[in-house]
């Protein structure tokens, strides 16, 4: 890993919760509650965690699609947290996003060609004939036929739509692509196509990916490093191999154990945790996971563990055994 | 095959079609299968291949219009459901056969209390006083491990978390102790940790009640961990059927094979970074414009002329392992 | 809840204030005033007389002063005097309100009791001949100009029974009272019922597509239980909105019906008052209608909370 | 279970109805009422456009010699008390009704869209102000507003259009605002933001086109109701003035005096109004079905 | 048969009068319901359809006499008459009434539309409780006609004009009970009426119904004993007769003329040729045929005979340009005049025809516009709301106006001075011809009716020839009542004077 392309420090995003017809604030969602990480050039950081734990909010904040409540975002060492909309525009070219639901992220009333060409037009990078040739090249890059440029999104299959989204992201030749669950809406067979495409593109262009998913297996295939989130915080972050081989946080362990293995002979499902995910509106005190944790101690209810280095590059936020997060023995 | 009397469900040549703006298509085409008491049958296949429509056909709940069951038979404990009139069918639904739906949020009536919804299910089939039904409802909620069931019974769906809602659905489906339970992707909308809890719960209850279970999913991992037998569907048809061990050991249909290969394995250890996945090229065909022969042929590496012209029949490749492929023998070798 | 109500009340006041400004200045923009009209009938005006009268009515003062005078009076409960009848405006307006209210209430009752069941039937039988027939009938309800329908009813009843329902200010029996209002209410109600039916139908169709309806069927619930118990309960919200809007509309929108059936309600009175530029009447009446509308909206919001447990006005 | 003949069913389900006309014909069969509405609307529009060609007499020429003639070959719908040909007046009346319908819908719609879009997209205090203004407009009874407007401006075609358009604004604005609020949360809008598009451009290019479907549906329904409103205004003496043949006035004036003695004066304008409103609504209903994404196959 | 006592006469009223004070009113909407509350000094015989000097009858005045120089009119008043509130009626009340009308009293009428009627009256004086005299500046025999009009009831001194608007007190056969705007007007029998045994009716009730169709349907359905007087148009009359064959219906002139007011102060109608052409282009018979199925009268300013007393005889009328029978010849001549003024087939004159937004105004305007087409004039209708009509006309903000002029008494003085004298406020056209004005005075002072008539005819003819305010026609209208209603007479040359209803009775 070389120098960091993206550095996120203590990012927080709180949403007001509004209720009733008047939409009055009745509480605060701690969607992201102090997240820090760094992403190197050409690196893929996987971000996993269950639905609603704040992954998308991290992604949006990084791109300044939502204004972070606090914290700092540095791109190439430059602080972009407080840049104005206009000042931000040139930086938009360096970072792009691919969303979970490819259909919803394509304007149903525009042709695929227009959609992919739009970033170029907006930034005045190409127009007319040139625009067309560049869009055609992008189509080829992601494995679509240029003659499909005139088709509308509904005329494509799910995998193809996600390719259009990727082509749109590529149009500005960004260095960072945030992939917010880009394959969750796709079938396994199509999912493989898209993952392969992303891997190929990274090899060719040296992109950095912030790759968000809730499927650990998918993340395992594409990432160099993986971070695990729970209720707005990163609870564990490590090199991929290290994380899967040696998960330290009880939540990571539960996640890994819960993934059903596609082998009837392998061990049967044995849920490691009980109970439901608490609401981010009133996250539990202390360690947010203590309500479901097998190893929860009295301390966990009051004391919030910090993300500390357990061993080389493996950081975990757990009070168990003095912050190493390692349980005495996995039962 | 299994002893007839042991069969809870026996489906023969089920055919369901849809009439839509873009045309007519067979969402379920000539599907046959059976479920034994206490057995779990999984139906797999990717999105849109007809799994849910199959389930709805069993319940006779295919929305009409646009859908209609046009052929076959569904016999539940010996009675052909398709021959019943609507009133008789109502007596069966929710009683002998019930269903858990994919989306726990939208499948519960938002303006009715959870308890009332379960009470309704009970009282529709059992002539008992409301008070007693309420006790049963609370008991069912306790059974699906909802803490403080009496209080939760008085709450509305939106006051429950996703996992709890799905549990409430299960409680409702099992309230009358059905002979057959259909679970249509009961965990797709849930987190893996919750999914594990729910699946374990369903299997527990199934064992306890001796219910036959049809589990619909497209997650082969779930299948491997829960089912005894598996049906693989592609574009409305059954392309393969086998015991779960046989299927995972040696899939006979190229589609099943491809599917299994493209599942990213959870790397307990030592997965190389940036490993490419196996993929099935091409996309699922539109049901409205299916090719004349084998529907998978356009994406199949093994496809031959014959595949394009003729639909391969389901053949038994030994031990009740059925597959519909002209070149089933070669599948294992080629891949 | 309390805080919500306070806030809500404040917004209502803002709206009412806006309406008072709009109606006040709109009326003054309209050329001509009561003095012109009185003298128009006579055919000429002596400028001195005109000035006298204007002074007497206070319409010679600057607009802002007039506005403040009006609002100030309103706040003290002083509604001013009608320019035309010279009686207290309140005394002119009040007796007419129950008449229109009864008419509107009956029309709404008609609309709901016919429109909702037919809407449900039409939705449940979607695509059948019955559905088509009901839709065509309901659309024709929306296509007939209301004065035309009213006149048809009157003409037909004279031709067929030699009698006609005309407003009876002092009905002796309960039946007479009902008859006085029922026919005009039905004439208006037909349109509203058509509207209610359409909304019920589309809302029902929407709800019938929902997963929880399938769940109810999967439980073995009968069609009636599914349609009325599960679906209608969920489909009723938009219907309530429409009935609420309709209620608000009727208070001021009965002009044509009141004219045709010669009912001395507020709507026709308002038209007359506008014709005469009888500002105190128009202004106060419009404010009254606005209050009704605003409260109708408020009621609808509250009903939402009653019918939909997801909506709670907690603060 | 009866077996079905797939070929027959396929044709019935429109599988072969691909491309151009076949598709149109298929849709027409599927939405019989909607097709009827479309036919009525088309006739209506064509009538309005070619009124001069279709009408056999000048709609304004008074001729005492032929007053109150019954319908005959010379005068298909008879003549009115002024001896004007009713058929010609109805034909020309289509023009007026269309002008009122289109004019007020377009005017109210355009302003409503601008207000709704701005309000929904900008939110904040702009939204708050617009919302309150539309509250105010909605709480004022429509006919009262129209009454005061026409009283202020005098009854004439443009003024009637304006008077009918104003109450339309808040209705349209509300629908568009609600849509805009929903669309703003759509990923494709976020995607547009992420490529650095300006808010204005997003509103116009991504949000606006996607509110078109509900707008069209709303507009067709409104088209009908504006024609009715004009008729009501005519009844109250505030509609399009003589001598222009407005259906509403033709109906409301002759309804008073000629119901029995010259029923054709009442029947034909009545039919014209009802038919036009009916057609617009039928067409609007069908459009709603067709444009509803959930209905698409 | 013998009049029967009792019963309430139910009528509908066409609209809601502004108030109940006849002196302040300017439409017959106010006279019809409230005339029965009052008495006049003198009154036209209520059972002779044609009002004329011969049908004047004493009422509150037992008798009257002119001084020898015809400049003083003295009334002997009836004794023992009481106001409805019990106070006695005296000569002071008469003086108060006319002081009010002449603007001489402390108290003021909110509006006083007939002030000009008394422009020749110097003073009204009383002598004792039972005598009143009118001092005139010059002889004016027609003063009596105006005093006999329904518009000239005697008001009590002791009630303020404001109270008279809301709760009128009179001496008449009926007492005011209530007036609910837009709803109803109720009168009840005055048991102490000075004419013993009258009225026959126990009361009169008016239901206000503004929609004509509704009103007539209600009459047909038997909800009313009588329609509002002269409210039924000729086409509707057929309809009523067909549905209620027993109803008694009469058609009478209303003494309302439909005329064109021409703005001769500015172009193009400052040009007499164009004015003449316009008047030549009129096909009056077509108006009458279309709007009245032939049943209306063509004449000059004064209502034509036989119902009218002062109208020109037919042969004289037809000598006026434009009144000739040959319309085509007239129009040929008109086109010549237009060409002379610079217009022709290729150069049309665009004109706005302003009128009030009421069918009675609009319909003739439509016909007018159509007829003007024949002489290269393209007319456009400009309908004006009532509220704005008078200010607009007063501003001279019009080119042509289609107007209705109602004459409350069939007398040239009322008509000529009001509408044609220089400086009269109701002279909308600002027509001013000093010579003619002198002739007005001459005819006015003529006490012999047979000598006065030719004078009036000449003036009328001249007025028409000057195209000051071309008269198109004089309208007629129908009134219907149920057969059991007795004793109703509809006046044939005025619709303001015949509603005392004291001897109307119901044969039920
Ligand atoms: N605009 C918003 N306003 C209020 N709350 C929000 C908003 N966006 C997200 N949230 C809340 O913030 C929390 C985190 O949301 P986020 O979308 O980041 O989760 P996620 O991890 O991406 O979930 P998923 O896997 O479902 O996409 C959730 O509880 C969500 O409800
Ligand atoms: N109500 C309906 N109207 C029209 N087509 C339908 C309807 N329901 C299902 N279909 C079609 O039938 C086919 C099979 O759908 P089905 O829901 O059974 O798929 P599935 O295998 O359950 O997919 P998923 O995994 O996404 O749930 C699909 O092509 C679908 O579009
Ligand atoms: Mg997300
Ligand atoms: Mg499914």
């Amino acid at each position: 890993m070389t120098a960091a392309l993206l550095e996120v420090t203590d990012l927080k995003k709180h949403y007001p919760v509004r209720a009733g017809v008047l939409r009055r604030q009745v509480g605060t969602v701690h969607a992201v509650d102090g997240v820090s990480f760094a992403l190197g050039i050409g690196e893929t950081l996987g971000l996993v965690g269950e639905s609603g734990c704040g992954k998308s909010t991290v992604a949006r904040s990084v791109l300044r699609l939502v204004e972070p409540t606090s914290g700092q975002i540095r791109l190439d060492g430059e602080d972009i947290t407080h840049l104005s909309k206009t000042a931000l525009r040139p930086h938009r070219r360096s970072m792009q996003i691919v969303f979970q639901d490819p259909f919803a992220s394509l304007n149903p009333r525009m042709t695929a060609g227009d959609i992919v060409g739009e970033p170029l037009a907006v930034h005045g990078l190409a127009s007319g004939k040139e625009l067309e040739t560049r869009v055609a090249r992008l189509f080829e890059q992601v494995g679509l036929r240029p003659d499909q440029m005139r088709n509308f999104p509904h005329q494509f299959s799910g995998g193809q739509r996600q390719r259009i989204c990727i082509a749109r992201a590529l149009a500005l030749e960004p260095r960072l692509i945030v992939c917010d669950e880009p394959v969750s809406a796709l079938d396994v067979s199509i999912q493989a196509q898209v993952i392969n495409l992303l891997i190929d593109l990274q090899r060719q262009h040296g992109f950095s990916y912030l790759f968000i998913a809730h499927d650990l297996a998918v993340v395992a295939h594409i990432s160099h490093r993986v971070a695990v989130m729970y209720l707005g915080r990163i609870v564990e972050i490590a090199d991929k191999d290290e994380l899967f081989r040696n998960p330290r946080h009880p939540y990571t362990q539960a996640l890994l154990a819960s993934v059903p293995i596609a082998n009837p002979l392998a061990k049967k499902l044995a849920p490691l945790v009980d109970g439901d995910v608490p609401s981010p509106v009133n996250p539990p005190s202390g360690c947010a996971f203590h309500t479901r944790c097998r190893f929860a101690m009295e301390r966990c209810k009051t004391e919030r563990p910090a993300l500390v280095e357990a061993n080389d590059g493996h950081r975990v936020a757990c009070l168990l055994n003095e912050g190493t997060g390692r349980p005495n023995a996995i039962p | 095959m299994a002893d007839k009397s042991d069969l809870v469900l026996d489906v023969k040549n089920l055919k369901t079609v849809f009439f839509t703006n873009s045309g007519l298509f067979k969402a379920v085409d000539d599907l046959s299968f059976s479920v034994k008491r206490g057995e779990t049958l999984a139906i797999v296949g990717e999105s849109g291949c007809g799994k849910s429509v199959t389930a709805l056909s069993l319940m006779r709940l295919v929305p009409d219009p646009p859908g209609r069951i046009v052929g076959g038979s569904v016999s539940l404990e010996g009675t052909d459901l398709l021959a019943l009139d609507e009133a008789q069918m109502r007596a069966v639904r929710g009683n002998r056969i019930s269903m858990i739906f994919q989306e726990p949020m939208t499948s519960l009536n938002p303006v009715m209390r959870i308890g009332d919804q379960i009470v309704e299910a009970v009282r529709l089939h059992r002539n008992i006083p409301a008070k007693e039904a309420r006790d049963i409802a609370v008991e069912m909620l306790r059974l699906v491990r909802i803490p403080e069931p009496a209080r939760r019974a008085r709450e509305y769906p939106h006051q429950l978390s996703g996992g709890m809602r799905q549990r409430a659905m299960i409680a409702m489906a099992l309230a009358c102790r059905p002979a057959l339970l259909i679970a249509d992707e009961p965990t797709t909308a849930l987190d893996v940790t919750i999914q594990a809890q729910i699946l374990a719960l369903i299997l527990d209850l199934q064992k306890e009640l001796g219910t036959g279970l049809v589990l619909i999913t497209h997650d082969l991992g779930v299948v491997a961990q829960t089912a005894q037998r598996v049906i693989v569907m592609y574009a409305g048809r059954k392309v393969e059927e086998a015991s779960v061990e046989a299927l995972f050991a040696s899939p006979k249909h190229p589609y099943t094979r491809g599917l299994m290969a493209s599942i990213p394995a959870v790397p307990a250890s030592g997965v190389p970074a940036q490993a490419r996945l196996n993929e099935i090229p091409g996309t699922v065909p539109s049901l409205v414009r299916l090719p004349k022969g084998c529907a998978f042929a356009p994406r199949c590496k093994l496809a031959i002329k014959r595949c394009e012209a003729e639909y391969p029949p389901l053949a038994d490749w030994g031990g009740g392992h059925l597959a519909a492929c002209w070149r089933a023998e070669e599948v294992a070798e080629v891949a | 809840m309390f805080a919500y109500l306070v806030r809500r009340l404040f917004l209502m006041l803002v709206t009412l204030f806006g309406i008072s400004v709009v109606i006040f200045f709109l009326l003054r923009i309209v050329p001509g005033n009561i003095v012109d009209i009185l003298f128009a009938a006579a055919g000429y005006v002596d400028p001195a007389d005109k000035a006298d009268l204007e002074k007497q009515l206070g319409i010679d003062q600057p607009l802002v002063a007039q506005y403040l005078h009006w609002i100030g009076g309103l706040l003290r409960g002083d509604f001013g005097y009608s320019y035309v009848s010279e009686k207290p405006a309140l005394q002119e307006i009040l007796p007419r309100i129950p008449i229109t209210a009864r008419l509107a209430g009956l029309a709404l009752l008609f609309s709901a009791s016919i429109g909702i069941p037919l809407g449900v039937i039409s939705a449940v039988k979607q695509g059948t001949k019955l559905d088509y027939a009901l839709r065509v009938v309901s659309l024709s309800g929306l296509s007939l100009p209301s004065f035309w329908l009213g006149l048809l009813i009157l003409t037909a009843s004279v031709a067929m029974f030699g009698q006609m329902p005309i407003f009876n200010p002092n009905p002796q029996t309960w039946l007479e009272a009902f008859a006085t209002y029922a026919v005009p209410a039905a004439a208006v109600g037909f349109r509203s019922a058509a509207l209610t039916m359409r909304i019920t139908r589309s809302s029902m169709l929407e709800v019938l597509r929902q997963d929880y309806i399938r769940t109810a069927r999967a439980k073995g619930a009968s069609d009636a239980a599914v349609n009325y118990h599960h679906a209608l309960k969920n489909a009723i919200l938009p219907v309530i909105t429409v009935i609420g809007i309709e209620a608000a509309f009727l208070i001021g929108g009965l002009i044509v019906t009141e004219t045709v059936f010669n009912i001395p309600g507020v709507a026709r009175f308002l038209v007359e008052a506008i014709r005469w530029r009888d500002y105190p009447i128009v202004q106060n009446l419009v404010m009254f209608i606005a209050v009704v509308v605003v409260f109708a909206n408020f009621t609808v919001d509250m009903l939402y909370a009653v019918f939909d447990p997801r909506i709670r006005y907690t603060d | 279970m009866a077996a079905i003949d797939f070929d027959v069913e396929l044709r019935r389900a429109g599988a072969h109805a691909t491309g151009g006309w076949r598709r149109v014909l298929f849709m027409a069969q599927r939405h019989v009422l909607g097709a009827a509405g479309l036919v009525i609307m088309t006739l209506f529009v064509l009538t309005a456009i070619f009124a001069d060609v279709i009408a056999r007499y000048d709609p304004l020429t008074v001729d005492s010699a032929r007053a109150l003639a019954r319908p005959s070959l010379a005068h298909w719908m008879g003549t009115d008390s002024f001896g004007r040909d009713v058929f010609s007046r109805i034909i020309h009346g289509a023009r007026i009704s269309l002008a009122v319908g289109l004019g007020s819908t377009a005017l109210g719609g355009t302003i409503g869209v601008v207000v709704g879009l701005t309000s929904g997209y900008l939110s904040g205090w702009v939204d708050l102000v617009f919302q309150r203004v539309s509250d105010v407009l909605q709480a004022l009874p429509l006919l009262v507003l129209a009454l005061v407007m026409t009283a202020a401006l005098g009854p004439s075609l443009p003024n009637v259009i304006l008077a009918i358009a104003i109450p339309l604004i808040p209705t349209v604005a509300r629908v568009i605002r609600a849509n805009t609020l929903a669309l703003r949360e759509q990923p494709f809008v976020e995607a547009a933001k992420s490529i650095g598009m300006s808010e204005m451009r997003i509103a116009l290019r991504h949000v606006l086109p996607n509110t078109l479907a509900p707008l069209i549906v709303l507009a067709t329904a409104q088209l009908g109701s504006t024609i009715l409103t004009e008729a009501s205004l005519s009844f109250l003496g505030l509609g399009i003035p003589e001598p222009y043949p407005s259906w509403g006035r033709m109906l409301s004036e002759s309804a008073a005096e000629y119901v029995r003695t010259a029923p054709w004066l009442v029947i034909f304008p009545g039919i014209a109004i009802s038919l036009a409103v009916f057609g617009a609504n039928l067409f609007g209903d069908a459009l709603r079905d067709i444009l509803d994404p959930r209905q698409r196959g | 048969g013998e009049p029967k006592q009792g019963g309430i006469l139910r009528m509908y009223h066409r609209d809601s009068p502004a108030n109940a004070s006849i002196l302040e009113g300017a439409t017959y909407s106010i006279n019809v319901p409230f005339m029965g509350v009052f008495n006049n000094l003198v009154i036209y015989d209520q059972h002779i359809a044609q009002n004329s000097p011969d049908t004047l009858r004493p009422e509150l005045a037992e008798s009257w006499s002119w001084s020898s120089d015809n400049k003083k009119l003295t009334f002997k008043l009836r004794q023992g008459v009481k106001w409805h509130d019990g106070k006695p009626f005296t000569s002071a009340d008469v003086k108060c009434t006319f002081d009010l009308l002449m603007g001489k009293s402390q108290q003021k009428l909110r509006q006083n539309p007939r002030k000009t009627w008394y422009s020749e009256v110097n003073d009204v004086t009383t002598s004792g409780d039972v005598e009143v005299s009118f001092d005139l500046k010059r002889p004016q025999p027609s003063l009596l006609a105006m005093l006999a009009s329904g518009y000239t009831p005697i008001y009590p001194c002791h009630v303020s004009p404001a109270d008279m608007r809301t709760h009128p007190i009179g001496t008449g056969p009926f007492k005011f009970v209530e007036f609910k705007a837009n709803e109803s007007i109720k009168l009840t029998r005055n048991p102490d009426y000075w004419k013993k045994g009258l009225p026959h009716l126990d009361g009169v009730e008016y239901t206000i119904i503004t929609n004509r169709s509704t009103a007539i349907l209600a009459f047909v359905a038997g909800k009313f004993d009588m329609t509002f007087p002269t409210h039924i148009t000729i086409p509707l009359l057929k309809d009523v007769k067909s549905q209620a064959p027993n109803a008694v219906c009469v058609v009478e002139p209303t003494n309302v003329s439909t005329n064109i007011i021409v703005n001769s102060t500015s172009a193009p109608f400052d040009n007499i040729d164009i004015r003449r052409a316009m008047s030549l282009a009129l096909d009056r018979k077509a108006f009458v045929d279309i709007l009245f199925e032939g049943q209306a009268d063509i004449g000059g300013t004064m209502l034509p005979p036989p119902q009218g007393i002062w109208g020109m005889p037919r042969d004289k009328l037809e000598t006026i340009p434009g009144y000739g029978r040959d319309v085509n010849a007239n129009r040929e001549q008109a086109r010549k005049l237009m060409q002379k003024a610079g217009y022709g087939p290729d150069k049309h004159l665009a004109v706005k025809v302003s009128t009030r937004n009421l069918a009675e105004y609009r319909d003739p305007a439509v016909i007018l516009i159509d007829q003007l087409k024949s002489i290269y004039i393209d007319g456009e209708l400009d309908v004006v709301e009532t509220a704005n009509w008078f200010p607009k006309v007063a501003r001279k903000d019009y080119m042509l106006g289609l107007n209705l002029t109602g004459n409350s008494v069939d007398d040239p003085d009322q008509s000529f001075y009001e509408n044609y004298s220089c400086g009269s406020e109701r002279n909308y056209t600002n027509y001013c011809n000093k010579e003619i004005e002198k002739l007005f005075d001459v005819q006015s002072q003529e006490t012999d009716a047979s000598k006065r008539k030719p004078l009036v005819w000449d003036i009328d003819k001249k007025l028409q020839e000057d195209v000051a305010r071309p008269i198109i026609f004089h309208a007629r209208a129908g009134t219907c009542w149920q057969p059991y209603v007795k004793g109703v007479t509809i006046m044939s040359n005025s619709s303001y004077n015949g509603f005392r209803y004291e001897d109307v009775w119901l044969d039920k």
Side-chain angles (χ1 to χ4, degrees), chain A residues 147-187:
Chain A
D147 63 75
Q148 290 173 308
M149 276 162 58
R150 268 179 300 282
N151 292 358
F152 285 90
H154 71 266
Q155 292 166 305
F156 291 89
S157 71
Q160 289 172 325
R161 285 176 199 152
Q162 197 58 291
R163 284 165 196 264
I164 299 174
C165 293
I166 293 170
R168 170 172 61 190
L170 293 181
L172 293 174
E173 296 168 1
R175 302 170 57 212
L176 166 67
I177 298 184
V178 176
C179 304
D180 187 5
E181 312 207 25
V183 291
S184 307
L186 305 177
D187 273 303

Side-chain angles (χ1 to χ4, degrees), chain E residues 175-477:
Chain E
K175 285 182 172 177
F176 174 90
V177 177
E178 67 170 4
F179 168 27
K180 286 190 187 156
N182 297 306
E183 210 169 314
S184 62
I185 298 169
K186 288 189 180 137
L187 307 180
T188 185
R189 185 171 192 272
N190 175 7
D192 306 323
Y193 190 43
W194 54 270
K195 284 191 193 171
K196 291 298 160 231
L198 292 183
H200 299 308
L201 295 170
D202 287 339
V204 188
E205 284 184 16
Y206 295 86
T207 304
I208 295 164
I209 302 186
T210 43
N211 188 264
R212 202 193 299 251
S213 320
T214 311
I216 287 178
L217 278 170
F219 171 73
V220 167
K223 297 263 175 196
F224 298 113
D225 304 321
M226 187 171 160
T227 67
F228 195 68
T230 61
H231 185 238
I232 317 253
T233 61
I234 306 291
L236 263 175
L237 202 60
K238 269 201 281 189
D239 196 32
V240 174
K241 287 298 277 184
S242 74
Q243 290 185 85
N246 291 333
V248 181
C249 296
V250 297
V251 175
E252 292 290 359
T254 52
N255 202 353
V256 172
S257 73
T258 297
N259 50 61
I260 305 169
I261 50 175
V262 185
N263 187 351
S264 51
T265 52
S266 59
F269 291 101
D270 53 350
N271 182 343
I272 180 77
D273 285 338
I274 295 185
R275 294 212 299 270
R276 289 238 164 89
M278 185 191 67
S279 105
L280 280 168
L282 293 178
D283 176 0
R284 292 180 166 81
K285 189 166 175 310
F287 280 90
V288 171
D289 285 347
I290 289 172
L291 300 171
F292 299 91
E293 299 176 3
Q295 300 190 53
D297 305 285
I298 297 173
T301 306
M302 301 309 298
L303 182 69
Q307 287 89 351
I309 299 169
W310 306 99
M312 281 176 275
R314 189 155 198 91
D315 47 351
K316 184 165 182 111
L317 188 68
E318 284 179 4
T319 61
I320 304 171
Y323 282 85
R325 290 183 185 216
D326 190 344
V327 175
N328 286 333
N330 288 345
R331 291 197 176 154
E332 195 46 49
Q333 211 182 326
R335 281 191 282 272
K336 293 230 177 66
L337 286 169
M338 288 300 288
Q339 273 157 353
K340 190 176 144 206
Y343 298 95
D346 316 319
K347 185 170 179 244
H348 286 207
L349 169 61
V351 159
K352 265 203 168 158
V353 179
S354 304
T355 195
R356 281 173 68 181
N357 195 9
L358 297 171
E360 293 94 317
Y361 287 68
R362 264 186 337 239
D363 289 353
V366 167
I367 303 175
L368 173 66
I369 288 174
D370 186 64
Q371 295 192 354
L372 290 179
K373 263 194 272 181
S374 65
I375 58 160
Y376 321 126
I377 296 182
D378 291 336
E380 193 197 331
L381 191 69
D382 168 32
V383 292
V384 181
E385 211 207 353
T386 300
N388 306 328
W389 172 245
F390 171 66
K392 184 180 175 92
V393 169
R395 280 198 310 275
K396 300 282 172 291
D397 176 19
Y398 69 94
M399 294 163 95
L400 288 184
L402 196 127
N403 189 44
L404 264 59
T405 306
N407 299 301
S408 46
V409 288
D410 187 15
D411 188 279
D413 277 15
Q414 188 251 268
S415 179
F416 289 165
Y417 285 112
E418 250 173 53
N419 301 322
Y420 298 97
S421 70
C422 303
S424 158
E425 281 142 322
R426 291 181 70 172
N427 181 356
Y428 303 140
T429 59
N430 276 7
Y431 173 79
C432 185
N433 186 331
K434 292 287 178 209
E435 270 162 53
I436 283 206
E437 208 154 350
K438 271 183 215 137
L439 294 176
F440 289 170
D441 290 344
V442 174
Q443 66 80 26
S444 176
Q445 297 179 43
E446 178 55 59
T447 47
D448 181 347
S450 60
K451 285 189 194 147
R452 191 175 167 201
K453 271 188 190 169
L455 293 173
V456 171
W457 296 344
D458 284 341
I459 295 172
D460 204 349
K461 182 170 186 223
K462 186 103 188 59
L463 288 174
Q464 297 315 313
E465 280 168 355
D466 274 0
V467 199
R469 193 175 194 170
I471 307 292
I472 307 178
F473 57 82
H474 291 265
R476 290 193 194 190

